[in-house]
């Protein structure tokens, strides 16, 4: 039986979709993210999840208030397209997420 975190948190996943990652590894990262989501109670009054991709640019895929069920979040994660960007701007992605993801 899977243990689930009982504490409600705001959880933002920041996924590197630069060319150095490669599409195969990007798919593996998305699988990992979906597996982590399973460890939380997702809902309006529970844990909220956001997803951001970054490489040469930063893109909010979905915000903390976009989805309130595990199935919706997992579908949205499955739909993230690998960008194959030309740069890896990790610090910018972290800063952007801290300031703007709600």
């Amino acid at each position: 039986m899977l243990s689930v975190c009982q504490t409600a948190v705001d959880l933002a996943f920041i996924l590197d979709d630069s060319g150095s990652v490669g599409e195969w590894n990007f798919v593996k990262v998305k699988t990992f993210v979906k597996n982590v989501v399973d460890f939380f109670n997702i809902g309006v009054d529970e844990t909220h999840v956001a997803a951001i991709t970054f490489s040469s640019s930063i893109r909010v895929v979905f915000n903390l208030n976009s989805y309130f069920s595990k199935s919706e979040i997992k579908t949205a994660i499955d739909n993230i397209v690998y960008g194959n960007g030309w740069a890896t701007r990790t610090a910018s992605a972290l800063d952007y997420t801290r300031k703007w993801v709600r």
Side-chain angles (χ1 to χ4, degrees):
M1 180 169 195
L2 183 66
S3 294
V4 176
C5 178
Q6 299 301 315
T7 303
V9 298
D10 288 337
L11 185 61
F13 291 99
I14 306 171
L15 289 72
D16 180 352
D17 70 345
S18 65
S20 61
V21 170
E23 190 166 6
W24 174 250
N25 287 324
F26 191 74
V27 169
K28 289 174 25 176
V29 168
K30 292 192 320 181
T31 299
F32 170 78
V33 169
K34 291 188 297 183
N35 288 336
V36 172
V37 167
D38 279 332
F39 285 100
F40 293 89
N41 289 320
I42 306 296
V44 174
D45 296 322
E46 300 289 342
T47 292
H48 300 161
V49 177
I52 297 88
T53 60
F54 73 96
S55 58
S56 46
S57 62
I58 300 164
R59 180 174 71 101
V60 176
V61 180
F62 58 90
N63 243 315
L64 294 168
N65 61 356
S66 297
Y67 303 111
F68 298 108
S69 75
K70 287 182 185 184
S71 62
E72 290 176 314
I73 291 168
K74 289 180 175 187
T75 297
I77 292 166
D78 281 336
N79 291 331
I80 300 173
V81 177
Y82 173 61
N84 195 22
W86 54 268
T88 305
R89 297 187 171 156
T90 307
S92 296
L94 291 168
D95 189 51
Y96 182 90
T97 301
R98 181 180 61 82
K99 290 179 181 175
W100 300 107
V101 172
R102 304 265 186 272

